Amino acid sequence: MVVDLRSDTVTRPSDAMRDAAKNAEVGDDVYRDDPSVNELERRAAEILGKEAGLFVPSGTMGNQVAIRAHTDRGQELLADEHAHVLKWELGAVAQLSSLQTRLLDFGDSGAPTPEQVEGGIVEEGLHEAGTGLFCLENTHNYRGGVAVPKEEIDAAAEVAHEHDVPVHLDGARLFNAAEALSTDAAALAENVDSVMFCLSKGLGAPVGSMLVGDQAFIDRARRVRKLFGGGMRQAGIIAAPGLLALENREHLADDHRRAARIAEDLGQIDGIETTAPDSNIVVADVADTGLNAEEFVGQIEQHGVLAVAFSETTVRFTTNWDVTDDDIEQAIDSVRTAMAET
Amino acid sequence: MVVDLRSDTVTRPSDAMRDAAKNAEVGDDVYRDDPSVNELERRAAEILGKEAGLFVPSGTMGNQVAIRAHTDRGQELLADEHAHVLKWELGAVAQLSSLQTRLLDFGDSGAPTPEQVEGGIVEEGLHEAGTGLFCLENTHNYRGGVAVPKEEIDAAAEVAHEHDVPVHLDGARLFNAAEALSTDAAALAENVDSVMFCLSKGLGAPVGSMLVGDQAFIDRARRVRKLFGGGMRQAGIIAAPGLLALENREHLADDHRRAARIAEDLGQIDGIETTAPDSNIVVADVADTGLNAEEFVGQIEQHGVLAVAFSETTVRFTTNWDVTDDDIEQAIDSVRTAMAET
Amino acid sequence: MVVDLRSDTVTRPSDAMRDAAKNAEVGDDVYRDDPSVNELERRAAEILGKEAGLFVPSGTMGNQVAIRAHTDRGQELLADEHAHVLKWELGAVAQLSSLQTRLLDFGDSGAPTPEQVEGGIVEEGLHEAGTGLFCLENTHNYRGGVAVPKEEIDAAAEVAHEHDVPVHLDGARLFNAAEALSTDAAALAENVDSVMFCLSKGLGAPVGSMLVGDQAFIDRARRVRKLFGGGMRQAGIIAAPGLLALENREHLADDHRRAARIAEDLGQIDGIETTAPDSNIVVADVADTGLNAEEFVGQIEQHGVLAVAFSETTVRFTTNWDVTDDDIEQAIDSVRTAMAET
Amino acid sequence: MVVDLRSDTVTRPSDAMRDAAKNAEVGDDVYRDDPSVNELERRAAEILGKEAGLFVPSGTMGNQVAIRAHTDRGQELLADEHAHVLKWELGAVAQLSSLQTRLLDFGDSGAPTPEQVEGGIVEEGLHEAGTGLFCLENTHNYRGGVAVPKEEIDAAAEVAHEHDVPVHLDGARLFNAAEALSTDAAALAENVDSVMFCLSKGLGAPVGSMLVGDQAFIDRARRVRKLFGGGMRQAGIIAAPGLLALENREHLADDHRRAARIAEDLGQIDGIETTAPDSNIVVADVADTGLNAEEFVGQIEQHGVLAVAFSETTVRFTTNWDVTDDDIEQAIDSVRTAMAET
Ligand SMILES: [Ca+2]
Ligand SMILES: [Ca+2]
Ligand SMILES: [Ca+2]
Ligand SMILES: [Ca+2]
Ligand SMILES: [Ca+2]
Ligand SMILES: [Ca+2]
């Protein structure tokens, strides 16, 4: 039996979600005739406290549609050097939106100081295209699933807004952040202009992500989505399970507890260093095992544990609702055995 | 009761498709772990006689992914002046692939002569970027759903290939063409390098289209799909009904028969001109009704018939498997009444 | 002795122009401190009856800067299928401005009918990016240096303007058109929004072209010029001879007379067909010589005459102020001899 | 009398250069027929120890042509966060080459450590486009005209090359670096794949920059130059003075001495902090004057000294061959007076 801790994207839909897919009211969403999609877009906006929503086939599309809908070609995008939108989306910000990227080092907190934001914003000038968008990420994936508190988001966004720079929040795992911080997702999103969050990760939907913002922004985004080929037809088949996923947030506390358990137990294995995680992502430093990250992942895979090499020396373990307490124990035992054999 | 003849995209999934969605085996398709998607891609390639397939969320994405996967920026795309890829995809060939477009007039046959293709191909030179791709469309939407015979496709493709220019076939309704021509889709696709066809149109799937071609092409296309944000997770939920749609081709003959009926009867109404259609699309010239196309569409909508203004003076009616013989009779009566009131 | 009839771009500067280069007042034009450039821009605008001007290093840059300054990415550019901006500028409209191209067949007159323009303009819609710019060319290079009268330009421009589509005139040889039509360049430019014309062709300057239009357009264009790398420093060294070139229009009548002579005499050679030219460009059809255009050009080069293969079967001869009446006679004799030997 | 220390771009051509312009042998460089351009390209390559050269109208074009000729769309460009190519070229790397930018902090030395380069290079992967180019700058403008020694260039380039990443050197002021380091420009360029250097800055030419590299690279670059509109006709008029500029390097030592004098004397004024410059650029920190950089520049302009606000708190003074020892004394006196009045 394999324990799959590669990502929370691997979550499979619940029976209720499958029933919802089967019974979904549908229509042609390109004509705005799909009631399930319309309801999902309305409800997503409501939960996040925004005017309008848009259903997209992937988190990458949600982020990249938002980035283009906010900017003009040639402007700068200001973001963390380890932001998902820059690191793992195939250079799309340059390819699809013609944006130059200016990077900050958000550090372990997953958020910049207001001074960093101030220093990173470029005014339009004779030789400068100017900053067009500032991006935050919450939870911050590469920084170890760290949850960024509302105060830090608001302070960073305030600086951007003083310069008339809009703020997009890559909230692929925003509900994990809300759970970790014991707050509402809407509170975390209050002072940003747009949010992308994924239905298909911790929330467990089979397919899709949401983009929310004000109506004018969503109108522009809908057109960009069409340009990128993201307009789907009877999308209610996946929007209906997505609606259930939207409310499927109770298990996140368990996912976080399980991640804490992984961090604690793996950290006691010789050569593995971990820190207590905020959410469902554990990034373990395996440098002292004598293996690099790829080798480590290969080694534990032979013992039935799937994880992801995250850098030369770090490995990511992600809990999700398909993973039980027993799975976690089995995984920890298996890593221990695997390391003993190294 | 409204009869919706706007498009065959409005088709709703059958109960069998809904059951397939509910019971689909799924996995994370970004990791290539979704057995339903894998089977759909395998089967689509098999039916079209190609090496490999790729599932995409829309026909626009399928076409635009193919266009980019075949070309280098700055080359020319040679296509019909009324090709869907140029006319209704928001200028994506320039925006996403940086291609200049060179247009031919395919005329009523929906296909160019070999001489036209020869004349349209530009060799790379000191001042010329050169032709990078030649596109065909079958059935040809704007040309009235005309089915292009294998001989014409092959003759046009041969000229392109002589100049080392690859050929992409926008086969959104390729199975309608095959039905109209009493041939195999694979035969129509034999001499082109890639084909996009839609599951969500006449075949009745809720969401998605397929791209097929040789393995190296599909490998490049998979990467472009990711760039465009088209990588989905447990996509088996929509791939499973797509697999049924792939085999759901018997009703196409009925759709065509019903379109012929519409053309014949509407053509007898004063001011409306039609020609006998090849497939499920009827383009009616309403210039002599005293209404422009927009007005005509508005007028018949008030009598419960939905159609699409196609140009200043033409209106498109599209049959699909949700539309019965009775619906057709009702629609024709309603148009007649609407015109009597004009 | 070689007679070079490849292009009027080969014109060498006069002694007066060389003196002007030597004695030019200069400054740093990126800071707008070059008095010679400033005067050239002022004077070019004045002659064309526009508010402002911009000096650019080439005609291609002038056209492409104008195209980008007029449009948004993804719009359509409407132009002749044989427009220079599409045919010989390396696909720049897609590469630098992300524009899709929609083509008309301007025919032998070098200008479209108002109906053609009307038919080619696409309104922005749910699926359509819309037409962003309409381009004319005068004289029309590929169409044989044909001079397009003011009435035809104005009629075409009026249709575009009714749709709020701006009009750019590629007037690389606009002063040749004015000479041929016995009118002012300003009259030809009256109803278009921007004009590019070349100093370095028939006017004889060593380097550079001008872009003129209203002040807001030129301000945008200046920024695009910088983006494309066209901002030069002490450009007065080439602007000063450019100022002389601006007034160097008297010889154009002679160039045209010489072109007429070439057309007449070459047309009497077996296998060569010509028509009487409007300006300084003669396009000869050599299909019946038994040589293709490349072979023909090679053959006459061996007899000391340089020309350009223009298509499979046509060859272009261009007169310019470096070419005397004696040169013309010699060239005609040489072609006659070359053909006799074929 | 104004002393212009804004930039060395303001240098005006010498009488010898003006004579060279007047007497230049010219031809049509688009046809490669301009002997002066051909000689300039040959000689520039020779001096830098590379196979071939290309004349371009500006440093921005030289850099951006190189960047595009080295890369594929969507790759990453690795460079200093204060690199000229990113900071002052209007976002061209994203707009013209569709590159994502990854930034390093080169620090005061103007060069990264090999470890920084190693850490910044991204391998192509499923989600990563990969690094396509690494850029260095010498002297480094924003870092205060610092001259980067050969050892540091070579060490950084070696790391890039180990990953098959080419290296471009923005050597706008490479001869200043060579002078400062008492070495050859060719030595500094030995281990990079391409170099752009400006004729129009310290070397004193009126217009133009050079790009050098191996023949295959220059062939690609020539095509990109044409795409960007940088192909000029009788460019010999500016290439001939450029040839003199190439050899006009003796005065650079004086420029550097004068910059040292400025730094020393301004640094003794209350509120102004300077460090000893490597070359002809002095960056003064004026934070303690109670003025911001814009205000400081405005204040000294009223006393006849032109400089450039470089950041919120820093001001750049640049010496050049039009500025004499007397000018320097006058400028220092004027700044002193201006500050006394603040
Ligand atoms: Ca999932
Ligand atoms: Ca440990
Ligand atoms: Ca459907
Ligand atoms: Ca010339
Ligand atoms: Ca200069
Ligand atoms: Ca001091």
Side-chain angles (χ1 to χ4, degrees):
Chain A
M1 246 290 298
V2 163
V3 183
D4 189 347
L5 298 168
R6 288 176 299 173
S7 180
D8 44 14
T9 62
V10 303
T11 49
R12 264 170 286 235
S14 65
D15 287 349
M17 288 179 190
R18 288 172 176 275
D19 282 335
K22 174 175 162 65
N23 299 314
E25 263 198 284
V26 300
D28 188 334
D29 183 47
V30 173
Y31 293 111
R32 313 290 300 274
D33 286 345
D34 192 294
S36 301
V37 173
N38 291 343
E39 173 58 13
L40 174 63
E41 292 179 347
R42 190 199 64 72
R43 179 64 181 139
E46 183 178 64
I47 291 178
L48 272 293
K50 299 296 180 194
E51 283 178 28
L54 185 72
F55 182 50
V56 290
S58 72
T60 291
M61 189 179 286
N63 280 328
Q64 296 299 332
V65 162
I67 286 168
R68 182 159 168 145
H70 278 304
T71 56
D72 289 327
R73 54 185 168 186
Q75 292 186 309
E76 290 198 355
L77 172 70
L78 181 66
D80 183 30
E81 63 184 10
H82 292 298
H84 190 282
V85 297
L86 301 179
K87 204 173 174 76
W88 292 309
E89 300 187 5
L90 281 173
V93 299
Q95 298 212 61
L96 302 182
S97 295
S98 299
L99 299 178
Q100 191 164 285
T101 37
R102 186 154 295 278
L103 308 178
L104 300 177
D105 178 353
F106 281 12
D108 291 342
S109 71
T113 63
E115 291 69 31
Q116 280 183 295
V117 181
E118 184 72 44
I121 287 175
V122 175
E123 302 292 331
E124 187 178 317
L126 181 60
H127 307 275
E128 300 89 357
T131 303
L133 182 64
F134 171 55
C135 277
L136 289 163
E137 187 173 328
N138 199 11
T139 63
H140 195 302
N141 185 348
Y142 187 82
R143 301 294 187 178
V146 63
V148 183
K150 175 175 171 51
E151 296 69 39
E152 295 190 38
I153 293 172
D154 289 358
E158 187 179 1
V159 176
H161 287 151
E162 281 165 8
H163 294 271
D164 294 321
V165 171
V167 182
H168 172 67
L169 174 59
D170 175 356
R173 294 179 179 87
L174 185 64
F175 292 102
N176 294 89
E179 169 61 36
L181 297 162
S182 303
T183 185
D184 269 355
L188 296 174
E190 185 183 2
N191 289 305
V192 301
D193 301 283
S194 61
V195 183
M196 187 287 293
F197 69 92
C198 291
L199 301 169
S200 62
K201 293 199 170 78
L203 303 180
V207 170
S209 295
M210 301 304 306
L211 187 59
V212 299
D214 67 31
Q215 188 64 55
F217 167 78
I218 291 295
D219 289 347
R220 293 197 306 277
R222 192 176 297 278
R223 196 167 169 85
V224 177
R225 183 187 70 172
K226 183 156 188 17
L227 172 68
F228 290 177
M232 297 181 286
R233 296 296 177 173
Q234 285 74 34
I237 296 289
I238 41 180
L243 261 165
L244 295 184
L246 260 188
E247 316 299 337
N248 182 33
R249 308 194 293 262
E250 302 225 333
H251 67 91
L252 294 174
D254 291 328
D255 293 355
H256 294 191
R257 181 176 50 73
R258 288 172 184 135
R261 172 75 193 282
I262 290 176
E264 192 177 334
D265 287 11
L266 290 192
Q268 288 165 9
I269 296 174
D270 259 16
I272 304 181
E273 296 300 317
T274 59
T275 51
D278 281 1
S279 62
N280 68 326
I281 287 176
V282 177
V283 177
D285 187 325
V286 303
D288 293 342
T289 61
L291 303 175
N292 68 26
E294 294 281 4
E295 292 163 345
F296 183 96
V297 165
Q299 179 76 6
I300 65 174
E301 184 173 1
Q302 289 179 32
H303 291 78
V305 182
L306 302 183
V308 165
F310 220 40
S311 73
E312 277 295 295
T313 57
T314 59
V315 173
R316 190 187 74 173
F317 299 84
T318 310
T319 60
N320 64 67
W321 80 340
D322 278 358
V323 178
T324 64
D325 287 326
D326 285 354
D327 292 336
I328 297 295
E329 295 214 25
Q330 180 192 320
I332 291 164
D333 284 347
S334 298
V335 174
R336 202 176 283 125
T337 310
M339 286 305 101
E341 288 181 6
T342 306
Chain B
M1 246 290 298
V2 163
V3 184
D4 189 347
L5 298 167
R6 288 177 298 174
S7 180
D8 44 14
T9 60
V10 304
T11 47
R12 265 170 285 235
S14 66
D15 288 349
M17 288 179 190
R18 287 172 176 275
D19 282 336
K22 174 175 162 66
N23 299 314
E25 262 198 286
V26 300
D28 188 335
D29 184 46
V30 173
Y31 293 111
R32 311 290 299 274
D33 285 345
D34 191 294
S36 301
V37 173
N38 291 343
E39 173 58 13
L40 175 62
E41 292 178 346
R42 189 199 64 73
R43 179 64 180 139
E46 182 178 65
I47 290 178
L48 272 293
K50 300 296 181 195
E51 283 178 27
L54 184 72
F55 182 51
V56 290
S58 73
T60 290
M61 189 179 285
N63 279 329
Q64 296 299 333
V65 162
I67 286 169
R68 181 158 167 146
H70 278 305
T71 56
D72 290 326
R73 54 185 166 185
Q75 291 186 308
E76 290 198 355
L77 172 71
L78 182 66
D80 182 29
E81 62 184 11
H82 293 298
H84 190 283
V85 296
L86 301 179
K87 205 174 174 75
W88 292 309
E89 301 188 3
L90 281 173
V93 299
Q95 299 212 60
L96 302 182
S97 295
S98 298
L99 298 178
Q100 191 164 286
T101 36
R102 186 154 296 277
L103 308 179
L104 301 176
D105 178 353
F106 281 14
D108 291 342
S109 72
T113 63
E115 290 71 31
Q116 279 182 295
V117 181
E118 184 72 43
I121 287 175
V122 175
E123 301 293 331
E124 187 178 317
L126 180 60
H127 308 276
E128 299 90 357
T131 304
L133 181 65
F134 172 55
C135 276
L136 290 163
E137 186 173 329
N138 200 10
T139 64
H140 196 301
N141 185 348
Y142 187 83
R143 302 293 187 179
V146 64
V148 183
K150 174 175 172 51
E151 297 69 40
E152 295 190 38
I153 292 171
D154 289 358
E158 187 179 1
V159 177
H161 288 151
E162 281 165 7
H163 293 272
D164 294 322
V165 171
V167 181
H168 172 68
L169 175 59
D170 175 356
R173 294 179 180 87
L174 185 64
F175 291 102
N176 293 88
E179 170 62 36
L181 297 162
S182 303
T183 186
D184 269 355
L188 296 173
E190 184 184 2
N191 289 305
V192 301
D193 301 283
S194 61
V195 183
M196 187 287 293
F197 68 91
C198 292
L199 300 169
S200 61
K201 293 199 171 77
L203 303 180
V207 170
S209 294
M210 302 305 305
L211 187 59
V212 299
D214 68 30
Q215 188 64 56
F217 167 78
I218 292 295
D219 290 346
R220 293 197 305 278
R222 191 176 297 277
R223 196 166 169 85
V224 177
R225 184 187 68 173
K226 182 156 189 14
L227 172 67
F228 291 178
M232 298 181 285
R233 297 295 179 173
Q234 285 74 32
I237 295 289
I238 42 181
L243 261 165
L244 295 184
L246 260 189
E247 315 299 338
N248 181 34
R249 308 194 293 261
E250 301 224 333
H251 67 91
L252 294 175
D254 291 327
D255 293 355
H256 294 191
R257 181 176 50 72
R258 288 171 184 136
R261 173 73 193 284
I262 290 175
E264 194 177 333
D265 286 12
L266 290 192
Q268 289 166 9
I269 296 174
D270 258 17
I272 304 181
E273 296 301 317
T274 60
T275 52
D278 281 1
S279 62
N280 69 327
I281 287 175
V282 177
V283 177
D285 187 325
V286 302
D288 293 343
T289 60
L291 304 176
N292 67 27
E294 294 280 4
E295 294 164 344
F296 183 97
V297 165
Q299 179 76 6
I300 65 174
E301 184 173 359
Q302 289 180 29
H303 291 76
V305 182
L306 303 183
V308 165
F310 220 40
S311 72
E312 275 296 295
T313 57
T314 58
V315 173
R316 190 188 74 172
F317 299 84
T318 310
T319 59
N320 65 67
W321 78 342
D322 278 357
V323 178
T324 64
D325 286 327
D326 285 354
D327 293 337
I328 297 294
E329 293 213 28
Q330 180 192 320
I332 291 164
D333 284 348
S334 298
V335 173
R336 204 176 282 125
T337 310
M339 286 305 100
E341 289 181 5
T342 306
Chain C
M1 247 289 298
V2 164
V3 184
D4 189 347
L5 299 167
R6 289 176 299 173
S7 180
D8 44 15
T9 61
V10 303
T11 48
R12 264 171 285 235
S14 65
D15 288 348
M17 289 179 189
R18 288 173 176 276
D19 283 335
K22 174 176 162 65
N23 299 315
E25 262 199 285
V26 299
D28 188 334
D29 183 47
V30 173
Y31 294 111
R32 312 290 300 273
D33 285 345
D34 192 293
S36 301
V37 173
N38 291 343
E39 174 58 12
L40 175 63
E41 292 180 347
R42 190 199 63 71
R43 179 66 180 139
E46 182 178 64
I47 291 178
L48 271 294
K50 300 295 180 195
E51 284 178 28
L54 185 72
F55 183 51
V56 290
S58 73
T60 290
M61 188 178 285
N63 280 328
Q64 296 300 332
V65 162
I67 287 168
R68 181 157 168 150
H70 278 304
T71 56
D72 290 327
R73 55 185 167 186
Q75 292 186 308
E76 289 197 356
L77 173 70
L78 181 66
D80 183 30
E81 63 184 11
H82 292 298
H84 191 281
V85 297
L86 301 179
K87 206 174 173 77
W88 292 308
E89 301 186 5
L90 280 174
V93 300
Q95 299 213 61
L96 302 183
S97 295
S98 298
L99 299 177
Q100 190 163 285
T101 36
R102 185 153 296 277
L103 308 179
L104 301 176
D105 179 353
F106 281 13
D108 291 341
S109 72
T113 63
E115 291 71 32
Q116 280 181 295
V117 180
E118 183 72 44
I121 288 176
V122 175
E123 302 292 331
E124 186 178 319
L126 180 60
H127 308 276
E128 299 89 356
T131 304
L133 182 65
F134 172 54
C135 277
L136 290 163
E137 187 173 328
N138 201 10
T139 63
H140 196 303
N141 184 348
Y142 188 81
R143 302 295 187 179
V146 63
V148 183
K150 175 175 170 54
E151 297 70 40
E152 296 191 37
I153 293 171
D154 289 358
E158 186 179 2
V159 176
H161 287 151
E162 281 165 7
H163 293 272
D164 294 321
V165 171
V167 181
H168 172 68
L169 175 59
D170 176 356
R173 293 179 180 87
L174 186 64
F175 291 101
N176 293 89
E179 169 62 34
L181 297 161
S182 303
T183 186
D184 268 356
L188 296 174
E190 183 184 2
N191 289 304
V192 300
D193 301 284
S194 60
V195 183
M196 187 287 293
F197 69 92
C198 292
L199 301 169
S200 62
K201 292 199 170 77
L203 304 181
V207 170
S209 295
M210 301 304 306
L211 187 59
V212 299
D214 68 30
Q215 188 65 55
F217 167 78
I218 292 295
D219 289 347
R220 293 197 307 278
R222 191 176 297 275
R223 196 166 170 85
V224 177
R225 184 188 69 173
K226 182 157 188 19
L227 172 67
F228 291 178
M232 297 181 286
R233 297 294 178 174
Q234 286 72 32
I237 295 288
I238 42 180
L243 261 164
L244 295 184
L246 260 188
E247 316 299 340
N248 181 34
R249 308 195 292 263
E250 301 227 333
H251 67 92
L252 295 174
D254 291 326
D255 293 355
H256 294 191
R257 180 176 50 75
R258 287 171 185 136
R261 172 75 193 282
I262 290 176
E264 193 179 333
D265 286 11
L266 291 191
Q268 288 166 10
I269 297 174
D270 258 17
I272 304 181
E273 296 301 317
T274 59
T275 53
D278 282 1
S279 62
N280 69 326
I281 288 175
V282 177
V283 177
D285 187 325
V286 302
D288 293 342
T289 60
L291 303 175
N292 68 27
E294 294 280 4
E295 293 164 344
F296 182 96
V297 165
Q299 179 75 7
I300 65 174
E301 184 173 359
Q302 290 180 29
H303 291 77
V305 182
L306 303 183
V308 165
F310 220 42
S311 72
E312 276 294 296
T313 57
T314 59
V315 172
R316 189 187 75 174
F317 299 83
T318 310
T319 59
N320 65 67
W321 79 342
D322 278 356
V323 178
T324 64
D325 286 327
D326 284 353
D327 293 336
I328 298 294
E329 294 214 28
Q330 180 193 320
I332 292 164
D333 283 348
S334 298
V335 174
R336 203 177 283 127
T337 310
M339 286 306 101
E341 288 180 7
T342 306
Chain D
M1 246 289 298
V2 164
V3 183
D4 189 347
L5 298 168
R6 288 176 300 173
S7 179
D8 45 14
T9 61
V10 303
T11 48
R12 264 171 285 236
S14 65
D15 288 349
M17 289 179 190
R18 288 173 176 275
D19 282 335
K22 174 175 161 65
N23 299 315
E25 262 198 284
V26 301
D28 188 334
D29 184 46
V30 174
Y31 293 110
R32 312 290 300 273
D33 285 346
D34 192 293
S36 301
V37 173
N38 292 343
E39 173 58 13
L40 174 62
E41 292 179 345
R42 190 199 64 71
R43 178 67 180 137
E46 183 178 64
I47 291 179
L48 272 293
K50 301 294 180 195
E51 283 178 27
L54 185 72
F55 182 51
V56 290
S58 72
T60 290
M61 188 178 285
N63 279 328
Q64 296 299 332
V65 163
I67 286 169
R68 181 157 167 148
H70 278 304
T71 57
D72 290 327
R73 56 185 167 186
Q75 291 186 309
E76 290 197 355
L77 173 70
L78 181 65
D80 182 30
E81 62 184 11
H82 292 298
H84 190 282
V85 297
L86 301 179
K87 204 173 175 78
W88 293 308
E89 301 186 5
L90 280 174
V93 299
Q95 298 213 61
L96 302 182
S97 295
S98 298
L99 299 178
Q100 190 164 285
T101 35
R102 186 153 295 278
L103 308 179
L104 300 177
D105 179 352
F106 281 14
D108 291 342
S109 72
T113 63
E115 291 69 31
Q116 280 182 294
V117 181
E118 183 73 43
I121 288 175
V122 174
E123 301 292 331
E124 187 178 318
L126 181 60
H127 309 275
E128 300 89 357
T131 304
L133 182 64
F134 172 54
C135 277
L136 290 163
E137 187 172 329
N138 200 10
T139 62
H140 196 302
N141 185 348
Y142 187 82
R143 302 293 187 180
V146 63
V148 183
K150 176 175 170 52
E151 297 69 40
E152 295 190 38
I153 293 171
D154 289 358
E158 186 178 2
V159 177
H161 288 151
E162 280 165 8
H163 293 272
D164 294 322
V165 171
V167 182
H168 172 67
L169 175 59
D170 176 355
R173 294 178 178 88
L174 185 64
F175 291 102
N176 293 90
E179 170 61 36
L181 297 161
S182 303
T183 186
D184 268 355
L188 296 174
E190 184 183 3
N191 289 305
V192 300
D193 301 283
S194 60
V195 183
M196 187 287 294
F197 68 92
C198 292
L199 300 169
S200 62
K201 292 199 171 77
L203 303 180
V207 170
S209 296
M210 301 305 305
L211 187 58
V212 299
D214 68 30
Q215 188 65 55
F217 167 78
I218 291 295
D219 290 346
R220 293 197 307 278
R222 189 176 298 276
R223 196 167 169 85
V224 177
R225 185 188 67 172
K226 183 158 187 18
L227 172 68
F228 290 177
M232 297 180 286
R233 296 296 178 173
Q234 286 73 33
I237 295 289
I238 40 181
L243 261 164
L244 295 185
L246 261 188
E247 316 299 338
N248 181 34
R249 308 194 292 263
E250 302 226 332
H251 67 91
L252 295 175
D254 292 326
D255 293 354
H256 295 190
R257 181 176 51 73
R258 287 171 185 136
R261 173 75 192 284
I262 290 176
E264 193 178 333
D265 287 9
L266 291 191
Q268 288 166 9
I269 297 176
D270 258 16
I272 304 180
E273 296 301 317
T274 59
T275 52
D278 282 1
S279 61
N280 68 326
I281 287 175
V282 177
V283 177
D285 187 325
V286 302
D288 294 342
T289 60
L291 303 175
N292 68 26
E294 294 280 4
E295 292 164 346
F296 182 96
V297 165
Q299 178 75 6
I300 65 174
E301 184 173 359
Q302 289 181 31
H303 292 76
V305 182
L306 302 183
V308 165
F310 220 41
S311 72
E312 276 295 295
T313 56
T314 58
V315 172
R316 189 188 74 174
F317 299 84
T318 311
T319 59
N320 65 68
W321 79 342
D322 278 358
V323 178
T324 63
D325 286 326
D326 286 353
D327 292 337
I328 297 295
E329 294 212 28
Q330 180 191 321
I332 291 165
D333 284 347
S334 299
V335 174
R336 203 176 283 127
T337 310
M339 286 304 102
E341 289 180 7
T342 305

